[in-house]
Amino acid sequence: MICKFVRTCALLGLVNCSSGGAASQGAERGAPAPLAVLTSISTFKSFVSAVGGTRVRVESLVPVGVSPEDYQPTPADIERLHAARLLIENGLGLEAWLARTIENARNPNLTVIVASRGLPSKAGNPHLWMDPELARGYVRAIRDALTAIDPGGRELFSQNAQAYDRRLVALDHEIAKRIATIPAPSRTMIVFHNAWQYYDDRFGLRTLGVIEPSPGQEPNPAYVASLVGLARRHHVRAVFAEPEYSPKLVQTLAQSAGIATVEDLYDDSIGTDPRVYDYDSMLRYDTSVIAKALGGR
Ligand SMILES: [Zn+2]
């Protein structure tokens, strides 16, 4: 039986016939089949694409424009996890639904990388990637994970990671310059959810208040009133939110405090807006919106 199988392969001129499926199809063309990689959120897709290049095929589990903090996984997600080789998640509670979904996928070949592991988190806030300096750590973790699974790509992954790392350093400088145009007393934000702590700390802004401190739990009126008081005392210029959340609370707060609303910041998800199609363009767009709303350029 084995002999017959080998002979059939030889007759067909196939290389690596016994490994089957996509890998052998790729080998026929002289290139390995792309590695199936999943990321929890769309924001991380740019990191994987930049490092993996043509050796990976990457998708995000949480669709663009959806919050990962209260995402409900679908049966299709379980299937995708079953077929994937590598999953990049953030950790620190961002994807509370994910552990069970991975379990249900029953995929012994799946490598799971918690990208924030080893990086300095603050009070359990999961949004470390919003600081480009910390995003460099995500890129290193992704480079190492890809190399471990696909050692033949070592050189490519290393070169790509280095090039992307340089882009992140340049992006970091660019953002710092832009934020510096905001008058110092105005460098404060009230935000819908606490996605901005690392970005703010990096660039000398301050998250003064958070409308929804616990994902999915609407704050009570007394808490919203306390934020209005805070906004007035500190002369906060704007309240910021993402398009995936209901604007009702943001508008109530802004009207009561007599300040502006910005409802199109992107952080957990890139945008459906074509200007916000990857990590770099997302942070550039956000920075531009924040700088203008707070009186900078
Ligand atoms: Zn978030």
Side-chain angles (χ1 to χ4, degrees):
M1 194 63 194
I2 292 169
C3 286
K4 197 172 158 193
F5 179 65
V6 169
R7 205 176 60 200
T8 309
C9 290
L11 285 171
L12 293 171
L14 298 181
V15 180
N16 196 20
C17 187
S18 59
S19 65
S24 60
Q25 283 163 27
E28 280 173 68
R29 295 191 299 270
L35 205 66
V37 184
L38 288 172
T39 61
S40 56
I41 58 174
S42 53
T43 309
F44 300 160
K45 262 181 75 178
S46 334
F47 302 153
V48 177
S49 299
V51 178
T54 53
R55 290 181 87 94
V56 301
R57 191 184 67 244
V58 58
E59 292 174 8
S60 69
L61 285 169
V62 181
V64 170
V66 174
S67 159
E69 277 112 340
D70 43 23
Y71 181 61
Q72 302 283 333
T74 66
D77 292 333
I78 295 173
E79 277 175 37
R80 289 200 285 170
L81 278 166
H82 185 74
R85 185 67 184 79
L86 174 65
L87 168 69
I88 307 296
E89 66 165 293
N90 184 74
L92 293 169
L94 184 82
E95 312 100 334
W97 45 272
L98 188 54
R100 169 69 68 86
T101 318
I102 294 170
E103 210 175 289
N104 290 340
R106 296 177 189 277
N107 178 356
N109 294 319
L110 182 70
T111 299
V112 180
I113 297 296
V114 179
S116 70
R117 190 165 286 158
L119 296 173
S121 69
K122 295 174 182 176
N125 187 327
H127 304 85
L128 281 79
W129 69 89
M130 293 300 291
D131 172 352
E133 178 61 30
L134 295 176
R136 299 172 73 191
Y138 284 59
V139 171
R140 287 193 295 272
I142 289 165
R143 176 201 62 198
D144 293 347
L146 289 175
T147 306
I149 296 170
D150 177 15
R154 175 183 294 277
E155 202 168 322
L156 177 83
F157 301 146
S158 166
Q159 281 171 4
N160 286 351
Q162 243 176 40
Y164 195 70
D165 187 71
R166 284 194 292 270
R167 265 171 65 181
L168 289 176
V169 171
L171 178 67
D172 184 67
H173 291 162
E174 191 185 319
I175 296 171
K177 264 173 135 173
R178 197 83 194 263
I179 296 299
T181 67
I182 302 170
S186 300
R187 290 180 198 162
T188 51
M189 296 171 78
I190 289 181
V191 296
F192 186 85
H193 95 293
N194 201 5
W196 293 87
Q197 187 179 6
Y198 296 94
Y199 175 99
D200 283 358
D201 288 353
R202 176 81 188 152
F203 299 112
L205 291 153
R206 191 169 155 216
T207 308
L208 200 62
V210 178
I211 296 177
E212 197 179 270
S214 307
Q217 289 191 347
E218 252 194 42
N220 62 42
Y223 180 76
V224 177
S226 75
L227 289 180
V228 172
L230 206 59
R232 286 192 183 133
R233 275 200 307 284
H234 291 268
H235 307 287
V236 174
R237 296 177 69 125
V239 52
F240 296 89
E242 299 83 351
E244 55 261 35
Y245 297 109
S246 158
K248 202 182 75 191
L249 276 171
V250 176
Q251 288 164 358
T252 305
L253 170 61
Q255 275 163 17
S256 308
I259 59 178
T261 59
V262 172
E263 292 164 22
D264 60 345
L265 281 194
Y266 299 90
D267 37 56
D268 294 345
S269 166
I270 59 165
T272 48
D273 182 325
R275 289 172 296 178
V276 193
Y277 59 90
D278 65 2
Y279 177 82
D280 308 36
S281 62
M282 176 185 90
L283 279 194
R284 271 196 191 92
Y285 180 85
D286 286 337
T287 300
S288 169
V289 168
I290 290 168
K292 284 179 192 155
L294 298 183
R297 288 192 304 276

